[in-house]
Amino acid sequence: MAGGKNRYGYQEYRGRSGGRTVLIFIIVLLAVLLAAGAAFMVVMGEYIKYTDTGVEIDWPWLSGEPSAPPEFSDPVVIATEDVVVTQEPSPEPTPTPGPQYEPIGAVTVSAAQLRGGTAAQAASASGGNALVVEMKNASGGLAWQSQAPLAVTLGVNAGDSLTADAVRVLSQTTELHLVARVHCFKDPALAKARIGTIMTQGGNIWYDRIGVCWTSPASQQVSDYLSTLCLELAEMGFDEIVLDDAGFPDDGQVNVLAVSENRPGDLTVPVAAFYQRLSGELGEKGVILSVQTTERALRGDNTLSGVTAEVLAQQAGRVWLPASAQGTDYAALLTAVGLEDAASRIVVENASAGSWYR
């Protein structure tokens, strides 16, 4: 770099100063050493001791003494009282009492007697304590106005509700045991409408000895219909419902009957299922389900109806039977297949008294 001329006429040259660079380097070095020293004092401060003889440093990696094991405090003891659990024995389940059956003396009365108010007097005059009235006849007709849609469709309802009203009055004002008789499967109204119809092998509607056609215990639609009718009678005030014609037909030219969905090979199964269903439904309302049958069915001489002594003993509350023409001991037959309290659950017609049962 050129400079100004001196007095002798020579131009001076001023180059870079080397001392300045060295000075900067020394300053930086000192700063680094100072920072390192400060860091050292922070980290190693606990190992530096100041004594009368000077400063001592106990380097941790030079110490030969093992580090002391961690100290554990005594375990915490929680004082508790012994809990004694006493398990009470489960009480024995109380058996649910079944229906109580009282012996009944029943008099059959007509719907006209009910409507006229003379039914109670008829029972009293005969010394009876129960009334039996036909509420569904063997033609399918009803003595009341059912709310079942099928009853309306078939046109089998009564023209008024007077009979039903009379039953309600008796149930509320007397101690009489009220029994509704229901003809089940001898029902030309259902059969002619092709609802569960019993057919011949040739595909025709079958008719019994007196020219009446039948429907089937195996038909779900028929079972539902009869269930609805019986529940309506229970709500009306009847204490017991006795089923008549409550199986497959067994009188007439039964040899021409076809085996089909409506008349299966095992006739007992659908009959027992029907009884079981109604027994449960009516039992929930405190109403007894009973069945009127024949002596031949009870003795096992005729199995075409599907009704047997065993089915009756298992599902029927009471068994209604005609007067014994052959001296058959009904109670012994039913007791042998499991019917309890047979004396109160068998109702036999008294032939000499007409409609009187006891």
Side-chain angles (χ1 to χ4, degrees):
M1 181 177 177
K5 292 183 179 180
N6 60 16
R7 61 180 179 170
Y8 297 108
Y10 293 103
Q11 187 176 11
E12 292 180 313
Y13 174 80
R14 296 178 182 174
R16 293 182 179 177
S17 173
R20 182 180 177 186
T21 302
V22 173
L23 180 60
I24 292 173
F25 173 78
I26 292 172
I27 293 172
V28 172
L29 179 61
L30 290 175
V32 171
L33 292 175
L34 180 61
F40 177 81
M41 293 298 293
V42 171
V43 175
M44 303 298 294
E46 62 177 305
Y47 301 106
I48 299 175
K49 299 179 181 179
Y50 298 92
T51 64
D52 296 338
T53 58
V55 178
E56 295 181 0
I57 301 177
D58 293 330
W59 303 106
W61 53 83
L62 296 179
S63 175
E65 297 179 359
S67 57
E71 296 183 1
F72 296 97
S73 60
D74 293 335
V76 178
V77 178
I78 301 175
T80 60
E81 297 182 359
D82 293 338
V83 179
V84 178
V85 178
T86 303
Q87 185 172 0
E88 296 292 336
S90 300
E92 293 293 329
T94 303
T96 303
Q100 300 300 310
Y101 299 97
E102 298 293 335
I104 62 172
V107 177
T108 298
V109 298
S110 66
Q113 287 175 295
L114 279 175
R115 295 155 67 99
T118 62
Q121 290 85 344
S124 177
S126 300
N129 62 355
L131 290 180
V132 183
V133 59
E134 185 178 76
M135 296 299 288
K136 180 177 183 291
N137 62 34
S139 297
L142 307 180
W144 79 103
Q145 294 179 324
S146 171
Q147 299 303 306
L150 191 53
V152 177
T153 301
L154 296 173
V156 295
N157 274 335
D160 56 50
S161 60
L162 294 179
T163 301
D165 293 339
V167 171
R168 294 187 183 96
V169 171
L170 286 176
S171 70
Q172 296 169 6
T173 60
T174 71
E175 296 298 322
L176 288 170
H177 185 79
L178 304 180
V179 182
R181 184 186 300 279
V182 174
H183 290 267
C184 294
F185 304 107
K186 179 185 281 190
D187 189 328
L190 286 170
K192 289 179 179 178
R194 296 303 178 102
I195 300 174
T197 310
I198 299 292
M199 307 292 288
T200 68
Q201 297 171 10
N204 301 312
I205 295 178
W206 181 85
Y207 292 86
D208 64 14
R209 192 182 300 276
I210 61 175
V212 178
C213 47
W214 287 57
T215 188
S216 171
S219 168
Q220 185 65 49
Q221 190 175 4
V222 173
S223 177
D224 292 343
Y225 173 60
L226 292 173
S227 168
T228 299
L229 298 183
C230 289
L231 290 174
E232 287 183 348
L233 292 172
E235 293 291 341
M236 196 180 297
F238 282 101
D239 304 296
E240 183 169 345
I241 295 174
V242 56
L243 307 179
D244 203 350
D245 303 318
F248 290 92
D250 60 356
D251 187 32
Q253 293 183 330
V254 293
N255 58 302
V256 301
L257 290 173
V259 175
S260 66
E261 184 179 71
N262 287 332
R263 191 174 179 274
D266 190 340
L267 302 175
T268 302
V269 172
V271 171
F274 176 68
Y275 292 176
Q276 183 177 23
R277 173 182 177 173
L278 285 191
S279 177
E281 292 174 343
L282 294 174
E284 292 179 357
K285 296 183 177 297
V287 176
I288 297 171
L289 175 74
S290 298
V291 178
Q292 178 161 337
T293 188
T294 64
E295 184 173 319
R296 289 196 307 157
L298 196 65
R299 290 163 60 97
D301 298 338
N302 179 4
T303 59
L304 293 174
S305 68
V307 181
T308 66
E310 290 80 5
V311 170
L312 293 170
Q314 293 170 7
Q315 306 299 341
R318 284 197 178 95
V319 180
W320 292 58
L321 288 155
S324 176
Q326 302 178 19
T328 303
D329 188 346
Y330 293 145
L333 285 174
L334 287 165
T335 299
V337 292
L339 184 72
E340 299 177 355
D341 191 18
S344 299
R345 296 175 63 183
I346 297 176
V347 185
V348 180
E349 183 180 10
N350 186 337
S352 62
S355 63
W356 171 248
Y357 291 81
R358 59 182 166 196

